[in-house]
Amino acid sequence: MAATLESSGWWQRWRGRLSARDGSRMLLLLLLLGSGQGPRQVGAGQTFEYLKREHSLSKPYQGVGTSSSSLWNLMGSAMVMTQYIRLTPDMQSKQGALWNRVPCFLRDWELQVHFKIHGQGKKNLHGDGLAIWYTKDRMQPGPVFGNMDKFVGLGVFVDTYPNEEKQQEAQKRRYSPGVQRVFPYISAMVNNGSLSYDHERDGRPTELGGCTAIVRNLHYDTFLVIRYVKRHLTIMMDIDGKHEWRDCIEVPGVRLPRGYYFGTSSITGDLSDNHDVISLKLFELTVERTPEEEKLHRDVFLPSVDNMKLPEMTAPLPPLSGLALFLIVFFSLVFSVFAIVIGIILYNKWQEQSRKRFY
């Protein structure tokens, strides 16, 4: 970029008017601005990404707090530290969350999560993990990694404790190697509000896919990326210290509404860990679409996955208005009076016929 600036006429005209010191400052300023706001091509084809600062978070964590003016809100045991945001400390029975206050209306996006899970617990004596959310509701504590059950949207889980395996062992039942998963384990779930996350089975009945991810107590950075492009959900990880993305989950036909919130949460129970978030960076992806794709990729109002049947939500009946309630009561009274009058008439006729029969 510096070579481009120096070869341009604009830079040549102004360079003579600036001192060496001022010129260095100007060049540094332009470089910083360019690296922070400019588009960057990613992957093959015409795909560019733009950092969306209103949905991103990094050190020194400005805009984090509990007030309504903050871009990010803390909940529960979450605390802002100098180098990270700790969702839960390495203590029992803690839960914390971090939620973006601004709803996301991007069509195609990529979320990069820099996180760290560590603690004093030995093998299989730690838990429970953390989750990354894109959901309709925010700041709703609950049992699913610190968030509400029967959520509406997308949940990506970094599960560090094998609940199902340990329950099988406790019941002295054989755990089949054919279905055994190695933990920590990353999985994903799309929910329209009708499904419960089965914590006892580590979310197996409702997961879209998953992979093993050895992420605890590592001495290098660990990253997770969630990419949503053209109804295609891709989850990758960089957990080997090689600065390379490795595939984890890939699911086509995922339909997510716009206007949901990004967040992350964690929970500990009898076992615990430090669950830290170092940064969250959301990129808008600009992708070319054919006219046919534009028709297929229209906005949806409820999350779903093609070829996966989710139970339909039963919409609650709207409350009756005052006028409707009055009309129902009025016509009920009229019907009751009418029925009473008819009953009296029929009774009188029956009595007259009875008297005639005696005479």
Side-chain angles (χ1 to χ4, degrees):
M1 181 175 177
T4 304
L5 286 173
E6 291 186 357
S7 61
S8 64
W10 178 86
W11 181 257
Q12 294 291 338
R13 287 194 300 270
W14 281 91
R15 186 170 60 174
R17 303 183 187 183
L18 296 171
S19 65
R21 185 177 180 182
D22 291 338
S24 299
R25 289 179 177 175
M26 180 66 73
L27 180 59
L28 178 61
L29 178 60
L30 291 172
L31 285 170
L32 290 174
L33 291 175
S35 62
Q37 299 290 344
R40 183 166 64 92
Q41 188 170 3
V42 292
Q46 299 299 316
T47 303
F48 293 86
E49 64 178 23
Y50 300 82
L51 179 65
K52 307 302 290 184
R53 298 189 182 279
E54 66 272 25
H55 302 297
S56 299
L57 179 68
S58 59
K59 293 180 284 189
Y61 306 120
Q62 296 178 348
V64 180
T66 57
S67 66
S68 58
S69 61
S70 302
L71 288 177
W72 293 86
N73 295 139
L74 299 174
M75 186 176 67
S77 61
M79 298 180 296
V80 179
M81 315 297 281
T82 56
Q83 299 297 320
Y84 49 82
I85 293 179
R86 176 151 292 170
L87 300 178
T88 59
D90 192 357
M91 299 173 62
Q92 294 179 340
S93 304
K94 298 292 183 180
Q95 67 176 36
L98 172 69
W99 283 94
N100 191 202
R101 194 177 58 86
V102 182
C104 177
F105 290 94
L106 302 180
R107 196 175 188 181
D108 304 285
W109 47 264
E110 177 180 291
L111 179 66
Q112 297 180 9
V113 184
H114 183 186
F115 68 98
K116 186 175 183 64
I117 301 176
H118 57 104
Q120 300 296 320
K122 304 301 181 183
K123 184 180 180 180
N124 292 335
L125 292 176
H126 50 79
D128 284 323
L130 61 83
I132 299 101
W133 303 98
Y134 175 70
T135 56
K136 180 180 179 181
D137 302 298
R138 60 187 292 272
M139 305 289 286
Q140 300 294 324
V144 185
F145 294 91
N147 191 38
M148 63 181 291
D149 196 9
K150 294 189 175 182
F151 59 90
V152 179
L154 169 69
V156 177
F157 313 117
V158 184
D159 194 349
T160 59
Y161 185 76
N163 290 283
E164 184 177 14
E165 179 181 352
K166 294 304 177 183
Q167 285 190 0
Q168 297 278 359
E169 292 178 358
Q171 297 171 6
K172 300 187 183 303
R173 295 167 57 186
R174 183 178 178 183
Y175 193 74
S176 173
V179 296
Q180 187 173 8
R181 296 181 291 186
V182 178
F183 281 71
Y185 189 84
I186 296 176
S187 63
M189 174 182 175
V190 169
N191 198 351
N192 62 2
S194 63
L195 300 175
S196 287
Y197 178 84
D198 191 344
H199 189 71
E200 303 302 323
R201 298 191 60 196
D202 304 309
R204 187 190 295 266
T206 53
E207 72 171 31
L208 299 177
C211 67
T212 296
I214 308 302
V215 295
R216 272 194 85 246
N217 288 341
L218 298 179
H219 300 293
Y220 43 80
D221 294 332
T222 49
F223 299 88
L224 183 72
V225 65
I226 305 170
R227 181 178 295 170
Y228 182 66
V229 179
K230 291 185 176 181
R231 303 275 194 255
H232 202 101
L233 178 67
T234 304
I235 298 175
M236 298 179 290
M237 55 186 178
D238 175 10
I239 60 173
D240 302 317
K242 299 179 180 179
H243 304 290
E244 295 177 355
W245 292 119
R246 181 153 56 92
D247 293 337
C248 178
I249 303 172
E250 189 169 356
V251 185
V254 177
R255 302 172 183 270
L256 298 175
R258 293 197 271 183
Y260 284 9
Y261 297 92
F262 286 105
T264 179
S265 65
S266 178
I267 193 171
T268 65
D270 293 334
L271 302 176
S272 61
D273 253 340
N274 296 305
H275 298 94
D276 301 336
V277 174
I278 292 94
S279 68
L280 295 164
K281 295 182 179 180
L282 185 76
F283 296 89
E284 179 182 11
L285 304 181
T286 59
V287 184
E288 291 184 352
R289 282 181 169 82
T290 64
E292 292 76 14
E293 289 175 331
E294 288 289 348
K295 293 179 181 179
L296 292 174
H297 298 168
R298 292 177 179 174
D299 286 347
V300 296
F301 300 98
L302 203 62
S304 64
V305 181
D306 294 350
N307 303 320
M308 180 179 177
K309 182 65 175 177
L310 295 178
E312 295 184 0
M313 287 291 294
T314 302
L317 296 175
L320 296 175
S321 64
L323 177 61
L325 187 61
F326 169 77
L327 292 176
I328 290 174
V329 174
F330 174 76
F331 284 109
S332 298
L333 291 174
V334 170
F335 177 78
S336 300
V337 171
F338 181 76
I340 292 173
V341 171
I342 295 297
I344 293 174
I345 293 174
L346 292 176
Y347 178 74
N348 291 333
K349 285 186 177 182
W350 177 78
Q351 281 187 329
E352 290 179 1
Q353 290 178 356
S354 298
R355 284 195 295 268
K356 289 179 180 179
R357 203 178 297 126
F358 286 110
Y359 290 109

